[in-house]
């Protein structure tokens, strides 16, 4: 009977069916032996997967969008001119007329926070755009260069990376002269590209010998054509979280420089320039001059940090899946 069955279905097919049947039986026996602990660990793994799926910075993204929308459209709802100096109400505590109080020059803090946030965000995004552009070009050149030139460029980036960024910013700003929005954005941008460049260089070295890159070069594609059309789409996800974190670092650097008195002047309103009055506020007991600008600055930085961490986790999970 068995010989006739083997002849009908074929010996190879019959042996494959029997082996699959034996594997199913052994799997059922293993699951039966595992019992409670097997189902327990399965539940734990399901919970971990659900937590990974739920780990999305929805609240941080919503808060950041609200702050950005308020700063961009502040003319629609701010009650007073942020540049008007009401000397009769200088250093006034929060009240119905001045919701967040006034500073030592009588300017309304509520209006200044929304108006100054526009300058801080502009500096953050402009500096990040400059640093990202430099990092992509420098990293791609290093990754596509011969070994000796690659080593030379990496040593240069490591030397710059070893110098404190704030010290470089202060030095370059002193060379440029009086600070303004564009000079500070440029200085912060050209001193914050080294970390992204190293990641771009590593990703470029991994894909520079791919078939589509080689074909593009053979067809006459130049450096920038290969970079924007073939290299950048492959490493953009790897550096996205670093780009987001650079926005946070740029805003923080501008605030630090202004707090130290070497950033934006007082006539240019930003969150950092508002904190330059912190020492006078502490001496006079005007706590609102520090609390409200500092709270907006901290909330914005925390939201950007959470979004950057989520992007980093997403990039790591995609690499592990690959």
């Amino acid at each position: 009977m068995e010989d006739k069955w083997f002849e009908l279905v074929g010996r190879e097919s019959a042996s494959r069916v029997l082996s699959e049947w034996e594997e199913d039986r052994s799997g059922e026996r293993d699951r039966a032996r595992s019992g409670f602990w097997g189902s327990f660990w399965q539940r734990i793994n399901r919970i971990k997967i659900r937590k990974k799926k739920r780990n999305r910075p929805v609240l941080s993204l919503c808060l950041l969008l609200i702050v950005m929308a308020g700063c961009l459209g502040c003319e629609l709802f701010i009650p007073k001119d942020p540049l008007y100096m009401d000397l009769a109400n200088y250093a006034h505590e929060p009240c119905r007329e001045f919701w967040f109080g006034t500073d030592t020059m009588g300017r309304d803090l509520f209006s200044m926070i929304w108006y100054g946030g526009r300058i801080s965000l502009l500096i953050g995004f402009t500096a990040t755009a400059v640093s990202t552009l430099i990092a992509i070009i420098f990293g791609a050149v290093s990754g596509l260069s011969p070994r000796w030139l690659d080593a030379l460029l990496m040593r240069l980036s490591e030397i710059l990376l070893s110098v404190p960024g704030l010290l470089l910013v202060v030095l370059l700003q002193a060379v440029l002269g009086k600070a303004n929005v564009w000079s500070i954005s440029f200085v912060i941008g050209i001193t914050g590209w080294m970390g992204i460049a190293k990641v771009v260089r590593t990703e470029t070295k991994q894909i520079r010998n791919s078939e589509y890159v080689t074909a593009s070069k053979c067809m006459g594609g130049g450096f920038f054509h290969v970079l924007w059309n073939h290299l950048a789409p492959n490493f953009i996800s790897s550096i996205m979280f670093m780009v987001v974190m650079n926005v946070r670092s740029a805003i923080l650097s501008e605030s630090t420089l202004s707090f130290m008195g070497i950033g934006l002047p007082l006539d240019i309103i930003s969150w950092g320039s508002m904190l330059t009055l912190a020492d006078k506020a502490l001496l006079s007991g005007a706590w609102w001059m520090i609390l409200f600008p500092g709270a907006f600055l901290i909330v914005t930085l925390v939201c950007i940090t959470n979004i950057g961490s989520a992007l980093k986790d997403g990039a790591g999970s995609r690499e592990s899946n690959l």
Side-chain angles (χ1 to χ4, degrees):
M1 187 70 180
E2 292 181 356
D3 294 336
K4 291 182 179 180
W5 184 69
F6 278 120
E7 291 176 1
L8 289 174
V9 300
R11 291 188 176 275
E12 294 183 359
S13 300
S15 60
R16 186 170 62 252
V17 171
L18 290 174
S19 62
E20 291 177 356
W21 180 70
E22 288 294 336
E23 290 178 359
D24 293 339
R25 290 288 302 275
S26 62
E28 290 177 359
R29 286 194 296 268
D30 293 339
R31 286 191 292 270
R33 290 193 194 103
S34 61
F36 170 77
W37 291 109
S39 59
F40 173 76
W41 289 115
Q42 288 178 1
R43 293 192 192 99
I44 293 296
N45 290 330
R46 291 195 195 100
I47 292 172
K48 289 181 179 179
I49 292 172
R50 291 195 195 103
K51 285 185 176 180
K52 286 182 179 179
K53 290 182 178 179
R54 293 174 183 173
N55 188 20
R56 296 175 181 174
V58 178
L59 180 59
S60 298
L61 186 60
C62 292
L63 288 176
L64 184 60
L65 289 176
I66 291 172
V67 172
M68 292 177 63
C71 292
L72 293 175
C74 61
E75 288 90 353
L76 301 176
F77 63 89
I78 55 175
K80 296 181 179 295
D81 184 3
L83 300 176
Y84 177 69
M85 298 182 186
D86 188 0
L87 298 179
N89 293 303
Y90 72 94
H92 199 289
E93 61 183 9
C95 61
R96 288 185 178 182
E97 183 179 0
F98 305 103
W99 295 348
F100 288 174
T102 61
D103 64 356
T104 55
M105 291 182 285
R107 297 177 296 182
D108 181 47
L109 282 180
F110 181 81
S111 303
M112 291 176 64
I113 284 175
W114 295 106
Y115 186 83
R118 181 186 301 178
I119 302 298
S120 296
L121 292 174
L122 176 62
I123 291 174
F125 285 108
T126 304
T128 301
V130 173
S131 62
T132 304
L133 182 62
I134 296 174
I136 289 176
I137 296 176
F138 188 93
V141 170
S142 179
L144 296 174
S145 298
R147 183 175 299 178
W148 65 271
L149 183 57
D150 177 32
L152 181 63
L153 293 176
M154 282 298 101
R155 298 296 84 76
L156 174 62
S157 65
E158 289 172 0
I159 291 173
L160 295 176
L161 197 61
S162 63
V163 180
L166 188 62
L167 183 61
L168 280 176
V169 171
V170 172
L171 177 62
L172 293 176
Q173 186 58 58
V175 172
L176 292 178
K178 185 178 180 180
N180 56 55
V181 175
W182 303 112
S183 66
I184 284 188
S185 301
F186 176 74
V187 168
I188 295 174
I190 64 174
T191 57
W193 54 268
M194 288 77 73
I196 301 177
K198 294 177 74 66
V199 177
V200 172
R201 176 249 184 187
T202 302
E203 296 288 335
T204 302
K205 289 180 72 68
Q206 291 179 356
I207 61 179
R208 67 178 181 178
N209 295 324
S210 302
E211 294 179 357
Y212 52 89
V213 176
T214 305
S216 179
K217 291 180 180 179
C218 293
M219 294 175 67
F223 169 75
F224 287 102
H225 175 80
V226 174
L227 175 61
W228 301 124
N229 292 281
H230 302 291
L231 298 179
N234 288 281
F235 61 67
I236 195 67
S237 61
S238 301
I239 66 171
M240 186 56 65
F241 77 95
M242 300 183 70
V243 172
V244 173
M245 298 300 283
N246 265 19
V247 177
R248 183 206 65 170
S249 301
I251 296 175
L252 187 60
S253 298
E254 182 272 326
S255 302
T256 304
L257 291 175
S258 298
F259 180 78
M260 294 170 60
I262 54 179
L264 294 175
L266 289 176
D267 57 340
I268 301 177
I269 301 174
S270 70
W271 290 337
S273 64
M274 293 174 68
L275 291 175
T276 56
L277 304 174
D279 53 347
K280 299 178 182 179
L282 290 174
L283 293 175
S284 61
W287 50 268
W288 56 90
M289 296 185 193
I290 306 174
L291 177 63
F292 295 113
F296 271 77
L297 179 62
I298 291 173
V299 168
T300 303
L301 296 180
V302 169
C303 291
I304 295 175
T305 303
N306 290 337
I307 294 171
S309 299
L311 290 174
K312 182 179 180 180
D313 294 339
S317 63
R318 283 194 295 271
E319 290 177 0
S320 64
N321 290 334
L322 291 174

